[in-house]
Amino acid sequence: MKLVLDKRSEHSELMTLMSPVLAIVLTVITGAIIFAVQGLNPFSALFVYFVEPLTSLWSIEEVLVKAAPLILIGAGLSVCYMANVWNIGAEGQLTMGALAGSFVPIVFSSWQSPLTLVVMLIMGALGGAAFAAIPAFLKNRFNANEILTSLMLVYIAQLILDWVVRGPWRDPKGFNFPQSISFEGWQLMPTLGEGRVHIGIILAVIAVVILTILMSRTLKGFEILVIGNAPRAGRFAGFSRKKIVWFTLLLSGGLAGLAGIGEVAGPSGQLQTAISPGYGFTAIIVAFLGRLNPIGVLFAGVMLAITYIGGEAAQIDLGVSDKTAQVFQGVLLFFILACDTLILYRIKLLASKIKPQQHVAAE
Amino acid sequence: MGGTEAIILTIITASTPLLLAAIGELVTERSGVLNLGVEGMMVMGAVCGFGAAYTTGSPYLGILAGIAGGMFMAFMFAVMTQTLATNQVATGLALTLLGLGLSGLIGESFVGLPGAKLEQISIPFLSTIPFIGPILFGQDILVYISIALVFATTYVLFKTRVGLIIRSVGDNHNSAHALGYNVIAVRYACILFGGACSGLSGAYLSLAYTPQWIENMTAGRGWIALALVVFSTWLPKRLAIGAYLFGAVWIMGLYVQAQGFGIPSQFLSSLPYLVTIIALVIISGNKTLTRVNTPACIGQTFVPDR
């Protein structure tokens, strides 16, 4: 038996829609096996993981709180990856966005006006974009691989945050805990209703709408698609690869920065040494699960937010390790990529090897 | 033991995991495959190595388990990218994310346990030579293996028929296929070799460098190994020099930190990552150095026409 890929004459429309669904189904089956191995009833464990987060108002709100940064970052990354620019340092851009945005409430702590929040958000986006400008510059000027440089910068950003929170920006009245002063009033994201859902989720939806229009209705979006899929054709059309590198990295960095300040001014309300449970990395999975399409990212972001909340619930209810959620996320990305193969190829099982003569005759 | 001697010994310990992982990735990349999952394979090697050594009490079984852990991850990568023709960059990222999660899950019960340390092998008489004795002849087995691998890969890649096939597959998979070589099989083998080396490197971390299991204990070393391969311009001997330079930078940071010159520790901890970026920039900007040796088909998917 031999597994062989047979190229389809055109993309399979059916598989384009079905592959994320298939990937989720396969992940759930794998999850059931993982739970069974740990000696749990797979059905009740899967229920806690994937359904329970949607059964109470409180947990739905938590899903939205977690979905907001994932969608913001994932939408930016999907445009980036569409252009074949591999920004994997969103976690670092998120961190720098959080730092830049926090400058306002920490240094001018008494300034209270609606403008405060606006300035914080702009600073956050600029901070993230500025940090993403480093790999963009190094890529365009020195041809340095953006995958490696953007990832190295994640470690550097986290160390800078650690230093700032333990050093210059530590709350003098904070009993030496590594955290900044607590933000108040207009230094915080307004919440929607009484719960913890804040306007970050609205920003995320706005970003998705804008990026959808960008990708489907503008010349810039077309340039991104051409440069990403057919760089030679792009060169002949006079599109500049360097400009696309700048554009996509600044865009995705800016959105990651916005997500960062949204976290600090939202759920946590102050700078701490750890401000994100790896949103910048999970957003890579969000981008792929969303088929590198901003609208798809909207659904994918909610889906992965559910795994975070389900993971927390499973840890409390069933004593399942919190690492399980991370394993799920990794497995999910594997299955998404494997299922995407079905869009371009048919998979055939051959009983035995075809001899060279036979296949010449067959053609 | 003098101060200089101690520093050199720690530099070797810090460099060996980088060298081991990078030499495997170098061979993988020479066959035209970019596996960004080094960090994931390495961390799985570390947890499997520690687990096996802890349960059996034998660090040598730990080494074998580490290799198996790395190869298991590499095999998944090979099935995905070679058999299912998935995007190598994305699959490598998936491998890293999965490896970090899976190792955390497997290693949860190992946290805080004392590990079995890999002992130094002192070569009789030679290791008693002052100064150079302990440095050259008093290391553990993995240090010797890492150095042997540098020479072995140089020889195999550039002096043998097997090496020629690997390089031709990496430089032009269509021609290699037309000549009758099984591109996919060659790449499978090179990916698995890379996985074995990364697993070995992880096992070194959890058995020799710090004989215990700490979550995410690879701390970006897999990514630094990837950068080292670029830095070496795909030449094993240059890779060894690079790895030792990086190890030296890493140790210097720790040394300065211990002396406490009033520099915030975070700045010193970020030094290896900063140096990686600088090294990448210097080498990538130099076209003559990179063009000659970069495998031409690196990262490209190959699906044989039938």
Side-chain angles (χ1 to χ4, degrees):
Chain A
M1 289 285 272
K2 192 165 180 265
L3 203 152
V4 170
L5 295 185
D6 195 16
K7 200 162 174 73
R8 294 178 193 269
S9 49
E10 53 191 71
H11 287 204
S12 161
E13 294 284 335
L14 177 70
M15 278 302 164
T16 308
L17 285 173
M18 284 306 292
S19 91
V21 179
L22 195 59
I24 291 172
V25 171
L26 288 170
T27 307
V28 168
I29 295 172
T30 312
I33 296 170
I34 295 176
F35 288 130
V37 168
Q38 293 181 333
L40 295 163
N41 178 349
F43 294 103
S44 56
L46 286 174
F47 182 81
V48 171
Y49 239 92
F50 294 105
V51 185
E52 214 170 78
L54 300 174
T55 52
S56 76
L57 186 63
W58 173 84
S59 52
I60 290 176
E61 285 188 345
E62 284 302 301
V63 167
L64 291 180
V65 169
K66 290 233 168 2
L70 289 175
I71 295 168
L72 270 174
I73 306 170
L77 290 183
S78 65
V79 173
C80 222
Y81 297 164
M82 225 20 160
N84 230 344
V85 175
W86 297 95
N87 175 12
I88 59 169
E91 185 77 7
Q93 292 139 23
L94 175 151
T95 306
M96 292 312 272
L99 271 175
S102 301
F103 178 83
V104 179
I106 289 172
V107 175
F108 306 103
S109 52
S110 55
W111 184 33
Q112 283 286 356
S113 107
L115 255 180
T116 315
L117 185 69
V118 176
V119 173
M120 281 168 70
L121 292 177
I122 293 172
M123 293 270 289
L126 288 179
F131 208 56
I134 301 172
F137 172 73
L138 297 180
K139 170 87 178 173
N140 281 341
R141 177 70 181 75
F142 300 104
N143 195 29
N145 185 323
E146 77 278 15
I147 302 173
L148 296 172
T149 52
S150 66
L151 189 98
M152 288 295 133
L153 287 167
V154 173
Y155 292 97
I156 294 174
Q158 285 171 341
L159 286 162
I160 294 175
L161 171 71
D162 195 76
W163 173 67
V164 167
V165 174
R166 288 174 200 279
W169 283 2
R170 187 169 59 194
D171 181 3
K173 301 189 195 85
F175 305 104
N176 251 351
F177 279 111
Q179 54 196 28
S180 74
I181 53 166
S182 296
F183 301 173
E184 283 162 354
W186 280 111
Q187 297 162 346
L188 290 169
M189 303 281 268
T191 52
L192 306 173
E194 294 295 302
R196 286 187 3 125
V197 183
H198 57 84
I199 56 166
I201 190 75
I202 297 177
L203 292 177
V205 173
I206 294 173
V208 164
V209 172
I210 293 175
L211 290 186
T212 306
I213 296 169
L214 171 88
M215 290 307 287
S216 59
R217 293 270 181 278
T218 66
L219 180 63
K220 198 75 184 170
F222 182 66
E223 276 183 46
I224 289 170
L225 288 181
V226 174
I227 289 282
N229 290 311
R232 254 171 76 83
R235 261 208 312 281
F236 289 133
F239 300 156
S240 158
R241 162 114 180 121
K242 290 192 173 182
K243 277 189 190 154
I244 295 293
V245 169
W246 274 113
F247 180 81
T248 53
L249 271 166
L250 291 182
L251 176 81
S252 56
L255 287 173
L258 199 57
I261 185 64
E263 279 307 291
V264 175
S268 73
Q270 63 187 161
L271 266 186
Q272 292 166 334
T273 50
I275 46 177
S276 138
Y279 287 137
F281 294 112
T282 310
I284 297 173
I285 306 174
V286 170
F288 279 104
L289 182 63
R291 308 214 42 73
L292 304 187
N293 171 326
I295 303 251
V297 163
L298 199 62
F299 293 101
V302 173
M303 171 72 204
L304 276 144
I306 290 174
T307 65
Y308 271 115
I309 305 299
E312 284 170 15
Q315 195 183 357
I316 296 162
D317 295 359
L318 309 168
V320 176
S321 161
D322 58 333
K323 310 292 179 308
T324 317
Q326 213 184 336
V327 174
F328 270 161
Q329 293 172 357
V331 169
L332 178 62
L333 182 51
F334 256 103
F335 282 130
I336 297 162
L337 296 169
C339 293
D340 278 2
T341 302
L342 296 172
I343 298 172
L344 289 174
Y345 302 97
R346 276 189 197 85
I347 292 183
K348 283 184 177 168
L349 285 172
L350 292 188
S352 61
K353 272 189 179 173
I354 304 174
K355 285 180 187 146
Q357 290 89 341
Q358 276 176 333
H359 100 254
V360 171
E363 280 173 20
Chain B
M1 207 184 334
T4 327
E5 196 183 306
I7 290 177
I8 294 177
L9 281 174
T10 39
I11 288 176
I12 294 175
T13 352
S15 312
T16 302
L18 297 175
L19 181 55
L20 280 168
I23 204 91
E25 178 67 15
L26 184 143
V27 173
T28 307
E29 291 191 13
R30 274 285 182 179
S31 80
V33 179
L34 178 65
N35 185 352
L36 291 182
V38 178
E39 182 89 2
M41 302 189 292
M42 207 166 158
V43 79
M44 281 296 281
V47 76
C48 294
F50 181 89
Y54 177 76
T55 33
T56 63
S58 157
Y60 291 99
L61 284 175
I63 291 177
L64 291 180
I67 294 176
M71 284 179 89
F72 166 71
M73 297 298 279
F75 181 71
M76 286 204 284
F77 179 84
V79 171
M80 293 283 289
T81 57
Q82 302 308 306
T83 306
L84 294 175
T86 58
N87 178 314
Q88 291 176 9
V89 173
T91 313
L93 291 176
L95 201 66
T96 291
L97 293 173
L98 182 64
L100 290 172
L102 205 55
S103 65
L105 191 62
I106 297 171
E108 208 156 41
S109 52
F110 299 150
V111 175
L113 295 178
K117 188 173 170 26
L118 195 61
E119 76 263 25
Q120 260 89 34
I121 298 172
S122 295
I123 296 170
F125 307 119
L126 288 175
S127 61
T128 56
I129 302 171
F131 194 70
I132 54 166
I135 292 172
L136 291 182
F137 305 109
Q139 300 288 351
D140 57 61
I141 187 168
L142 291 181
V143 174
Y144 298 131
I145 290 180
S146 70
I147 292 164
L149 276 173
V150 172
F151 291 102
T153 45
T154 309
Y155 178 76
V156 172
L157 279 176
F158 301 103
K159 297 274 186 249
T160 67
R161 197 180 148 76
V162 173
L164 191 63
I165 295 171
I166 292 175
R167 285 185 293 131
S168 66
V169 164
D171 277 332
N172 192 333
H173 46 216
N174 290 322
S175 302
H177 177 66
L179 284 170
Y181 294 118
N182 190 337
V183 173
I184 304 281
V186 170
R187 288 189 170 165
Y188 254 90
C190 291
I191 292 168
L192 286 175
F193 177 77
C197 288
S198 289
L200 206 55
S201 153
Y204 185 83
L205 286 177
S206 65
L207 295 174
Y209 191 73
T210 43
Q212 53 182 320
W213 165 251
I214 309 160
E215 208 193 330
N216 296 352
M217 72 186 299
T218 43
R221 285 187 180 82
W223 294 101
I224 292 179
L226 275 159
L228 269 175
V229 178
V230 178
F231 177 78
S232 76
T233 63
W234 292 269
L235 296 172
K237 282 180 185 159
R238 216 175 269 173
L239 183 75
I241 297 168
Y244 284 111
L245 280 177
F246 267 75
V249 169
W250 204 299
I251 294 303
M252 282 307 145
L254 292 177
Y255 185 74
V256 173
Q257 211 162 319
Q259 300 293 310
F261 293 120
I263 305 168
S265 66
Q266 292 91 343
F267 285 89
L268 297 167
S269 305
S270 69
L271 215 55
Y273 309 113
L274 208 58
V275 170
T276 307
I277 296 175
I278 294 168
L280 267 177
V281 165
I282 292 171
I283 293 295
S284 307
N286 188 333
K287 282 185 181 134
T288 40
L289 267 180
T290 46
R291 281 258 173 88
V292 184
N293 290 308
T294 311
C297 282
I298 191 153
Q300 293 174 17
T301 309
F302 175 74
V303 178
D305 280 327
R306 283 176 303 112

